[in-house]
Amino acid sequence: MFLIMAPVCMAKLGARLFVLFLCLTIHAGMLQFAAASIQGYFGDIDMTCPSVCRCDEDFIYCNDRGLSSIPSLPPSASVLYLQNNHINNPGLPTSLERHLSVRVVYLYDNELDEFPMHLPPSVRELHLQDNNIRTIPRTTLARMPLLEKLHLDDNSISTVSIEDQAFADNPRLRLLFLSRNHLSSIPSGLPASLEELRLDDNRISTIPTHAFRGLNSLRCLVLDGNLLANQRIADDTFSRLSNLTELSLVRNSLQTPPVNLPSAHLQRLSLQDNALTHMPRGSLDGMHRLQRLDLSGNNLTTLPRGLFKDLDSLGQLLVRGNPWHCGCNLRWLYDWLRARGNTITVRGLTCHGPDRVRDLALIDLGSEMEECEVVRLTGTKDKGAVGGVESSTTNAPPQGSLFTLRSKRPGFGFPDSGLDYTLSSSGVGKSLALNVKPLSHNSIRVTWSAAQPSSSFRLSWLRQGTGNAMESITETLVRGDRQEYLLTSLQPRSSYIICMVPLAVSSESKATISGDADSDEALVCAKAETSDLSSSEEEEDEDSHQITSLPLAGIIGGATATVSLALIFGVFCWYGHRTGHLCSRDHYTRSSSRKSKTYDDYIESGTKKDNTILEIRGPGFQMTPMPACPPMQPKPLREDYIIHTIFPSNGTGLYKGSNHVSNAGHGTNRGYREGGIPDIDYCYT
């Protein structure tokens, strides 16, 4: 019995164990499924790309989506493209600070009016251009100590809105763009790590000595489109930038290049679209690494000999848009360009004068240049290499009096300031007669006559300072066919010494400079003194007062005659009305009373014109008799009537439906009319 029941018990036990194992297996599967579901749920929240964006690994593209706030981002995002949206400052969530893998953020062309907060501290490149940011606070920038590139172009940042030492906590900042803002000066407290600084298209007019102090790593400086002039740039402003490789001063008001430019590493110098009138010799000395020089869009006529003597690496010379005078003064440049050959590219070196070489390139003037003989100012021929250097006759004009600059004595043969040298308003030499005459407080007219024809004249002038001090020389070349020149932009109430040297043509038809052993005799000088500014203005005011008072009597007489004629005409018209000339229908013409109306008065008044009868088509008139005007001659008896327009009480016009609304542009008495015809018209029958 026991043996028979043992197998049955074993079978039941095995079945129970199988069921238990099956239940445990199902339970474990359900737990695993639940865990996977929970993990997938949270993974969808934190790891998936936002539905409004497109993701490519760690690049998140949410640009041009019309977003007003930043959506939830996956933690792996490193580059955020959020430009061209409507994101404002409240649209930046605080959770953005926890995305420590973000390296680059593009937030340009949005609606930010403050520097954005809650950005990740790991950001290295930040684009915020084309917003309306007004301030740069130090506390906000301190949250991004790893920042290397900051773009703030096209905002509303002013100099005073940049907090003091705003970039002190960004020791890695290498690039700073502040173009097209409202800056009036160079921002202070710039980090020493800065390598590229763009401040173009602002309102910067002054650069003091300490503006770029400590920026020894700066390599690129762009100051285009500002209000810079030579008088407001300190002498050693740019000399501190020893590692500068690119300097751009386009679209300013410079008359000469700034002095003491950094020459050791400079490779690109852009001076186009200024007011350059001459390039002082020595302004490009030491620039052995200069590769590109742009002098386009200025007022240069010549270049001094030896200006390019150190430009061994120059590969591009852009000089278009200048009135070049291609005489023997540019023979040295012609030889220099021929010696360089194909190693340099020149653009725009086209002659503007003389007329026989106009619109020709300088390099093509072979026969003309062969006629020139290169002679030093001292009279000795140049025995050096092609393009040798003659002694300088031009010194750099003072950069300005704003920063207490010292003038340098010129090397030209002007009268010695230490001697009692008497000059008058005219000077006569062997071959030249010079005359000067002040015209105003800032201009002097220079006229001359030469005994022999000259290819050109060298005109120089300098202002005498206080005591016997001499300031620097300003010099220009004048064509030989001219006999007068106007000096402008001079200092009022100042004495000027004006000298001229003719570049005579010898009998061998070779141009020689009248500056050899007989230079003292060829040099002709005169002296002139500009008037005081206040006296000139008073004279101009007195002259203008006299000119304006001349026609006053004529104006009063004409006005009196016009008023008299108007009164006579008015009396005549009144008398005509009284005697009835204008009441007669024979004198009533339509063209004189309503020239601007081209439609029929009968139709306008609600009546229909007929050959036999004047028929009233509606209850819109009231006719009352009135005394007839006295006729000029006996006529048949007639009756005159005044036609009064009667308007409906609701303000609508006559002969219109009840549902039609009058024109709201006119009053109710003229709602049915189009041209503003008077309410009472006289009609004679």
Side-chain angles (χ1 to χ4, degrees), residues 365-383:
L365 304 182
S367 59
E368 289 80 1
M369 289 300 169
E370 291 299 330
E371 298 176 358
C372 297
E373 181 181 358
V374 180
V375 180
R376 289 180 180 269
L377 187 63
T378 59
T380 60
K381 294 186 179 180
D382 187 7
K383 300 180 181 179

Side-chain angles (χ1 to χ4, degrees), residues 390-425:
E390 69 176 358
S391 62
S392 173
T393 62
T394 306
N395 287 287
Q399 197 77 0
S401 59
L402 182 63
F403 302 100
T404 314
L405 306 177
R406 293 180 299 176
S407 301
K408 300 178 182 179
R409 278 298 307 274
F412 194 62
F414 273 85
D416 191 354
S417 61
L419 300 176
D420 187 11
Y421 193 94
T422 303
L423 289 175
S424 63
S425 60

Side-chain angles (χ1 to χ4, degrees), residues 68 131 361 409 428 547 568 654 670 679:
S68 59
N131 281 280
R409 278 298 307 274
V428 180
I547 292 173
I568 294 172
L654 296 175
R670 300 188 182 185
D679 293 337

Side-chain angles (χ1 to χ4, degrees), residues 89 113-117 126 128 133 135 137 140-141 144 150 152:
N89 290 90
D113 52 8
E114 296 179 1
F115 201 96
M117 300 180 63
L126 180 58
L128 297 174
I133 298 174
T135 60
T140 306
L141 283 174
M144 296 175 287
L150 178 58
L152 286 168

